[in-house]
């Protein structure tokens, strides 16, 4: 099954970041971005499947955009990064991407998970 997922952890609080708005886009050959999905992280800070079930996972550039300003506004915390954009490349034959985000008000880290 083709899958793109994410997990957002608030490292300052030591807890999942629930309710973070997340958007998945794919870049076309002209360089324009097309939105594939828009959702929020669940109570465990996860988006289990961002790629619509009917979509395959063609090679190309994809972008996760996380609205961290909304998340921090709800928590009454001043964050340095209002938006985190993670652009990654899918190569031919790849079918599963899990992109975790470790988030704090003044920093973030991302990596390819399993």
């Amino acid at each position: 099954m083709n899958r793109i997922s994410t997990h957002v952890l608030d490292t300052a609080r030591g807890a999942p970041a629930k309710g973070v708005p997340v958007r998945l886009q794919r870049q076309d050959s002209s360089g324009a971005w097309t939105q594939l999905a828009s959702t929020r992280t669940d109570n465990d800070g996860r988006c289990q499947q961002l790629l619509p079930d009917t979509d395959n996972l063609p090679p190309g550039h994809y972008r996760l955009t996380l609205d961290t300003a909304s998340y921090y506004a709800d928590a009454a915390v001043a964050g340095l990064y209002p938006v985190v954009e993670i652009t990654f490349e899918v190569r031919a034959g790849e079918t599963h991407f899990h992109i975790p985000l470790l988030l704090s008000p003044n920093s973030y880290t991302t990596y390819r998970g399993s």
Side-chain angles (χ1 to χ4, degrees):
M1 173 172 142
N2 297 316
R3 179 178 298 277
I4 296 176
S5 60
T6 190
H7 188 193
V8 184
L9 297 170
D10 185 330
T11 58
R13 289 184 36 236
K18 62 182 178 180
V20 178
V22 178
R23 188 174 63 225
L24 175 65
Q25 298 170 298
R26 183 173 188 278
Q27 191 175 40
D28 66 24
S29 59
S30 73
W33 291 94
T34 300
Q35 185 165 304
L36 301 177
S38 178
T39 190
R40 288 180 177 264
T41 56
D42 64 16
N43 287 339
D44 194 35
R46 296 178 184 273
C47 295
Q48 295 286 347
Q49 173 61 302
L50 289 162
L51 191 66
D53 289 335
T54 57
D55 284 359
N56 57 6
L57 189 57
H61 293 148
Y62 290 77
R63 179 169 64 193
L64 281 178
T65 303
L66 298 100
D67 178 1
T68 54
S70 296
Y71 171 72
Y72 282 124
D74 289 346
V77 172
L80 178 62
Y81 301 102
V83 174
V84 173
E85 290 185 344
I86 305 166
T87 304
F88 58 98
E89 183 175 5
V90 171
R91 293 176 184 85
E94 294 179 313
T95 61
H96 180 239
F97 282 81
H98 181 62
I99 310 291
L101 175 67
L102 304 177
L103 183 64
S104 76
N106 294 302
S107 68
Y108 66 88
T109 300
T110 187
Y111 57 95
R112 184 174 183 180
S114 58

